[in-house]
């Protein structure tokens, strides 16, 4: 009481002094925050006006795109050179060729368009000019752009000459179809009250038209600008969002869609991809598109934030100075008393620490050697250490083990792990005290033993208490623990036997899994069935593993594990060690036979396997090994095929002018049989090697026809053909036109 009275004046002085500091600090902070908020609103308003003007200029790009597309559509529709394509059911081949050449000219002289389609209802035919390798004349049913057919069939659902964002197929020379992002404009002319289309002109404008318009007005690139339609679909791709992505799942986009119905443009501050940002939007009435501009809030108001943080830092420094002055004044006035109190606390702590150590040592001895101790000596030790255990009542040992201890050891240093165990002991003591007297024992680095003493006949209450401990430890300490409950004993000398029973039961955790509760009623001590190693199942697994069949190999592995379900942990340990050795032997043998260096560390695999605590984890560990080995086998096989194709390409590039170049000669240069080379090349590329050689020669012939004055006869000789007539036939097959026609088209 005297100590408390001595400290009272000092506390009052410190409280008054600290209150003044806090009042001054709150005043400064309040004024600073008020000024900052006002300036922030003004800055946001000015920035909104600037960004709105930028979005309006971006919308001019959409308006320009619509006007240009309309003008070109009308120009194409009124061009007499397309009359026969559009209005005749069966135009001549010469007329088709001339019209298509003219259509290609339209496409080539104007980079504004990606492709142009003409559709004639009379012939039910599409005439296409595209940069891709497609047939320029296709029937309605066979047209490669399926969405274009749907546009014609459902034309009334779309506004005429309004941009329709689409992803259209683009075929490559190697028959590999890709896609291109475009805005499609559909032009048609309905006569009178007709509701059926006659002829249609479809213009596909590349997405880059709008992206370039956006980039031209966002040179500093401090934010992100994109466009969505009224359904929330993205119509301009960004670095993080693909074309035509549905953005309705993003809260800020939903807010824009809801607000744009009543207000054409506005701004708000919201979280965008986890970053506080300013969102400015403007709606374009013609296209019904919404232009959105997102600016990181930190970029906008960085200087203001810096000024605010500086003011707060100054206030904090003032507070620290005031606290420091108060601390030193109090310390100088009451230093002698503080020394006495500190000394008393040290003595009390030392006494408590030593007593705890003596108790823990005695309880550990009790767990391991109680059967060898005399009852009289035990009672004497209990009295000296003030342990409230009643020798006349029942005893039980509950053993708690921290799950995933290897991961916990990496996550927490030793001192932190001691604190976690101390927390588990406190929680366990709180719950088990309700059932009787209990003592918590620090058994080893990952386990805690509870010695429970009392009337313990209610088995369900005991299990419920273990459940409650597990739930509380998971909630407060974020740890998973498993438990093993011994049988009930009636003498203190039986504690070591109870402990041994609980410890042996923990072996079942490997099969049952984490956060389990093990006791003799569920996991009896019956002798397990004899373990017989499943040699045939192992052989089946290794055979499928050598073939690179991961799914089948994992299925056989599952059957191996299931065949020993009733065996104890030691049997599983022997089984998995043998399986790891067998797999490593097979892998080393396959690498050696293929002339490769082993690239998997089986030592690390086995070391990690022994750290795993449950059967399910070991299963997953082996399945990952099987997947990795099978993938490695396939990857090495793929690399071999890539090397073969590269060698063939190099031979063709160096010898394409050689008239003797053939499958047999290439096979001879690669030291392979022609039959094997032809078969493996067909499997890899889906085309024959002679066709591959001819395609390369025709590509080279096209280059010579377009860029040199050599005669067609001389070009056929230069590209490896003996006869010009055969050259004409092959060129027509792969190019679709004759060499003379190709040269004429290239010169126009």
């Amino acid at each position: 009481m005297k100590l408390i009275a001595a400290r009272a004046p000092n506390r009052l002085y410190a409280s008054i002094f600290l209150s003044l500091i806090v009042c001054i600090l709150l005043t400064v902070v309040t004024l600073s925050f008020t000024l900052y908020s006002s300036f922030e609103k003004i800055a946001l308003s000015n920035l909104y006006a600037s960004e709105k003007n930028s979005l309006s200029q971006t919308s001019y790009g959409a308006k320009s795109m619509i006007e240009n597309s309309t003008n070109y559509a009308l120009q194409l529709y009124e061009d007499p050179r397309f009359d026969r394509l559009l209005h005749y059911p069966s135009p001549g081949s010469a007329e088709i060729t001339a019209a298509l050449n003219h259509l290609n000219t339209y496409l080539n002289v104007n980079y504004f368009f990606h492709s142009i389609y003409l559709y004639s209802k009379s012939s039910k035919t599409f005439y296409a000019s595209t940069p891709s390798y497609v047939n320029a004349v296709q029937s309605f049913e066979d047209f490669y752009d399926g969405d274009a057919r749907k546009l014609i069939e459902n034309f009334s659902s779309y506004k005429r000459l309004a941009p329709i964002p689409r992803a259209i197929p683009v075929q490559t020379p190697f028959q590999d179809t890709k896609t291109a992002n475009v805005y499609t404009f559909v032009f048609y002319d309905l006569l009178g009250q007709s509701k059926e289309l006659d002829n249609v002109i479809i213009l596909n404008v590349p997405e880059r038209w709008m992206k370039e318009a956006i980039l031209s007005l966002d040179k500093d690139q401090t934010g992100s600008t994109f466009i969505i339609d009224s359904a929330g679909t993205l119509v301009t791709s960004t670095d993080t969002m693909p074309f035509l992505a549905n953005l309705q799942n993003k809260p800020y986009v939903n807010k824009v869609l809801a607000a744009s119905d009543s207000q054409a443009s506005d701004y708000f501050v919201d979280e965008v991809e986890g970053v506080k940002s300013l969102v400015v939007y403007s709606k374009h009435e013609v296209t019904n598109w919404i232009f959105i501009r997102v600016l990181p809030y930190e970029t906008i108001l960085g200087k203001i934030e810096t000024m605010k943080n500086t003011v707060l830092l100054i206030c904090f420094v003032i507070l620290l100075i005031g606290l420091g002055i108060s601390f030193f004044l109090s310390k100088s006035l009451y230093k002698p008393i503080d020394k006495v109190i500190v000394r008393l606390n040290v003595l009390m702590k030392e006494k408590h620490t030593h007593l705890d150590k003596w108790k823990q040592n005695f309880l550990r001895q009790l767990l391991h050697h109680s059967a060898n101790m005399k009852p009289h000596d035990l009672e004497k030790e209990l009295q000296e250490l003030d342990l409230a255990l009643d020798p006349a009542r029942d005893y039980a040992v509950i053993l708690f083990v921290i799950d995933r201890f290897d991961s916990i050891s990496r996550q927490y240093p030793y001192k932190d792990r001691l604190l976690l165990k101390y927390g588990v002991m406190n929680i366990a003591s709180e719950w088990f005290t309700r059932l009787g007297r209990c003592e918590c024992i620090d058994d080893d680095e990952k386990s805690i033993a509870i010695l429970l003493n009392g009337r313990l006949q209610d088995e369900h209450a005991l299990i419920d208490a273990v459940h409650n401990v597990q739930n509380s430890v998971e909630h407060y300490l974020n740890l998973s623990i498993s438990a093993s409950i011994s049988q009930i004993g009636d003498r203190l000398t039986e504690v070591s036997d109870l402990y041994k029973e609980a410890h042996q039961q923990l072996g079942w955790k490997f099969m049952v899994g984490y956060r389990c509760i093990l006791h003799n009623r569920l996991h009896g001590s019956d002798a397990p069935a004899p373990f017989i190693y499943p040699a045939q199942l192992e052989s089946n697994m290794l055979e499928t593993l050598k073939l690179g069949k991961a799914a089948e190999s994992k299925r056989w592995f599952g059957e191996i594990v299931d065949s020993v379900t009733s065996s104890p942990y030691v049997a599983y340990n022997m089984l998995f060690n043998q399986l790891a050795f067998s797999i490593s032997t097979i892998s080393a043998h396959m690498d050696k036979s293929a002339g490769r260096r082993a690239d998997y560390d089986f030592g690390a695999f086995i070391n990690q396997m022994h750290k795993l605590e449950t059967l399910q984890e070991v299963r997953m560990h082996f399945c990952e090994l099987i997947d990795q080995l099978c993938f490695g086998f396939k990857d090495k096989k793929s690399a071999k095929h890539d090397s073969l194709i590269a060698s063939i390409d190099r031979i063709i590039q160096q010898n394409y002018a050689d008239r003797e170049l053939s499958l047999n000669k290439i096979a001879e240069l690669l030291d392979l049989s022609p039959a094997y080379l032809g078969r493996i090349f067909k499997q890899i590329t889906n085309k024959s090697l002679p066709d591959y050689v001819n395609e390369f020669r025709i590509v080279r012939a096209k280059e010579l026809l377009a860029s040199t004055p050599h005669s067609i006869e001389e070009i056929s000789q230069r590209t490896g053909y003996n006869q010009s007539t055969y050259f004409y036939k092959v060129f027509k097959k792969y190019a679709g036109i004759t060499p003379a026609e190709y040269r004429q088209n290239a010169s126009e």
Side-chain angles (χ1 to χ4, degrees), residues 472-722:
S472 298
V473 168
E474 183 173 11
H475 177 73
Y476 293 107
L477 303 179
N478 196 27
L479 288 179
S480 171
I481 58 174
S482 298
S484 175
I485 307 173
S486 73
Q487 297 189 58
I488 307 300
D490 56 3
R491 292 191 302 275
L492 190 59
T493 54
E494 294 180 350
V495 168
S496 60
D497 294 332
L498 299 177
Y499 171 78
K500 186 182 298 183
E501 175 195 351
H503 197 275
Q504 290 175 347
Q505 283 176 173
L506 279 176
W508 286 97
K509 173 187 170 182
F510 183 74
M511 285 73 80
V512 179
Y514 293 126
R515 214 173 179 274
C516 59
I517 300 178
L518 307 169
H519 54 87
N520 186 264
R521 277 68 70 195
L522 291 178
H523 307 92
S525 58
D526 297 338
F531 171 64
I532 301 175
Y533 189 78
Q536 183 58 47
L537 295 176
E538 181 200 71
S539 176
N540 294 339
M541 184 194 73
L542 296 178
E543 286 300 320
T544 55
L545 182 63
K546 289 191 291 185
L547 296 174
K549 298 180 179 179
E552 293 187 29
S553 184
K554 287 188 283 188
R555 180 174 62 81
W556 285 115
F557 171 74
E559 293 191 16
I560 291 173
V561 177
D562 294 340
S563 69
V564 292
T565 302
S566 61
S567 298
Y569 171 74
V570 65
Y572 280 106
N573 192 36
M574 292 188 296
L575 170 69
F576 292 132
N577 282 329
Q578 179 60 39
L579 284 176
F581 175 76
S582 300
I583 293 175
S584 66
T585 303
I586 287 294
S587 177
H589 176 73
M590 293 186 67
D591 287 335
K592 183 177 180 181
S593 62
R596 298 187 298 263
R597 182 176 62 86
D599 55 0
Y600 190 85
D601 187 355
F602 280 94
F605 171 83
I606 295 174
N607 183 49
Q608 179 62 26
M609 180 186 74
H610 288 156
K611 294 180 180 179
L612 301 177
E613 301 176 22
T614 65
L615 179 60
Q616 182 62 28
E617 287 182 335
V618 176
R619 279 178 178 263
M620 294 174 62
H621 193 49
F622 268 91
C623 288
E624 290 174 0
L625 170 65
I626 291 170
D627 286 334
Q628 188 167 352
L629 290 178
C630 291
F631 178 79
F633 296 154
K634 293 179 181 178
D635 191 46
K636 291 167 184 175
K637 184 177 180 181
S638 176
K640 183 178 179 181
H641 287 170
D642 292 342
S643 177
L644 178 62
I645 296 300
S647 298
I648 293 173
D649 285 337
R650 186 169 56 254
I651 292 172
I652 294 174
Q653 291 173 4
Q654 295 173 354
N655 302 280
Y656 72 90
D658 185 359
R659 301 169 188 172
E660 302 298 327
L661 183 65
S662 63
L663 172 62
N664 292 335
K665 185 167 183 178
I666 296 174
E668 180 182 352
L669 292 173
L670 294 173
D671 197 19
L672 298 172
S673 69
Y676 172 78
L677 179 61
R679 184 174 69 256
I680 196 67
F681 188 86
K682 181 75 172 179
Q683 291 175 356
I684 299 172
T685 65
N686 291 325
K687 62 178 66 177
S688 67
L689 186 54
D691 284 342
Y692 193 74
V693 173
N694 279 330
E695 287 180 359
F696 185 87
R697 285 172 166 170
I698 294 305
V699 170
R700 182 58 181 152
K702 288 180 179 179
E703 294 175 356
L704 295 173
L705 287 168
S707 61
T708 67
H710 300 316
S711 65
I712 295 177
E713 176 70 26
E714 185 177 353
I715 290 174
S716 69
Q717 298 291 329
R718 286 174 176 262
T719 53
Y721 293 100
N722 289 326

Side-chain angles (χ1 to χ4, degrees), residues 49 238 386 494:
T238 67
D386 194 24
E494 294 180 350

